[in-house]
Amino acid sequence: MRAFNFSAGPAAIPLEVLDIAAQEMTNWHGCGMSVMEMSHRGREFISIYEQTHQDLKELLAVPDHFKILFMQGGGIAENAIVPLNLSQGQEVDFVLSGSWSQKSYLEAQKYCTASIAASSESDGFRHLPDPSTWRLNSKASYVHLCTNETIHGVECHEIPDLKALGHHSPLVIDFSSHVLANPVDWSRVGLAFAGAQKNIGPAGLTLVIVREDLLGHALQICPSAFNYSLVAQFESMYNTPPTYSIYIAGLVMQWLKRQKEGALSGVLALQSRNQQKAQLLYGAIDNSGLYENRVAKANRSAMNVPFYLKDESLNDLFLQGAKAAGLLQLKGHKSVGGMRASIYNAMPLEGVQALVSFMLDFERTKA
Ligand SMILES: *Cc1c(COP(=O)(O)O)cnc(C)c1O
């Protein structure tokens, strides 16, 4: 039996996708070879790449003046690659709302003058500083925001409109852990990046979506393989792209396109389903005497739900019981402790129902 996997990443992949990949593993569409064995310049792989690119563009409604790049290195490499390409060695503003934006800020200091426009560190990263309070530098090359802090469970539910705040630097978002879970307002974004292993597919692929006018300003020291202009010019084939990860991502895109919730489909269907899942889980936590979530309600993540047992001596028993019930990888990140349930797109409502029913039962019988 397959378990419900609550891992923060690499995370669950829809079973339908894994089944298709298994069937196609040794001989893709009768071509006599596996996708892993194909030339990235051959007709077969180019068709996979083009379909994946097109489906992603459609699902996220990416406008034509943005480039979609399939890169490698993960989100952490982007912490260097973004300033190498966009900072022009000058000033960059960071909003610190959790561990991931903090990491981005520290790495960027190697390449530019990084400033903190706002931070919620003093309250343990339990809320997103309100955009109206950000101290933005009019000379900043860009503003960096992590729109879903995977470890602290803090989500930005509406991308801020910097122009409405009187600010004209482009906004860079790290949307690794909620990409494809909600529509994106591209009029407010200059660049978005995401490691694939949460909501797109296997680790090894990094998605970058960048407004064309931001290309062409990379620092001299920027490695060629990480130069967005070159990657864009070569349609993500400047170097060999992570072909198998792109193929699986493509199957995930097709799965996303098939999803329906009432009259909604694609990303909107997922958004609606994700809201139901989050409401169910947060509701159970808030109504219990044993569990608590400490994030400001308006900023709670619909993807990563950190929670604590008020009696922490029960942690091990909780994790053992959960595992026995087929509920895996619920242990919180080591930097914050407690538990964390990551309920990305691939987690069905039934998985969250099973978790909630286990939690209620555990509270009734063990606490
Ligand atoms: C997972 C994650 C990353 C990427 O980490 P890598 O290990 O480099 O792939 C970056 N940002 C956020 C918000 C993440 O959740």
Side-chain angles (χ1 to χ4, degrees), residues 73-76 100 146 148 150 174 176-177 197-198:
I76 291 185
W100 285 105
C146 176
N148 188 60
T150 319
D174 173 356
S176 295
S177 50
Q197 69 272 27
K198 282 66 186 256

Side-chain angles (χ1 to χ4, degrees), residues 71-89 92 94 100 103-112 142 144 172 174 191 193 206 208 218-219 221-223 226-228:
M71 300 182 65
Q72 299 183 66
I76 291 185
E78 289 304 322
N79 287 343
I81 298 170
V82 174
L84 278 163
N85 279 276
L86 262 49
S87 74
Q88 305 188 45
V92 176
F94 284 80
W100 285 105
K103 264 198 169 81
S104 305
Y105 164 69
L106 292 173
E107 183 74 3
Q109 290 174 3
K110 296 179 183 170
Y111 308 105
C112 61
Y142 64 90
H144 177 107
V172 168
D174 173 356
L191 181 147
F193 70 82
T206 315
V208 175
L219 299 179
I221 56 165
C222 180
F226 295 150
N227 184 314
Y228 294 143

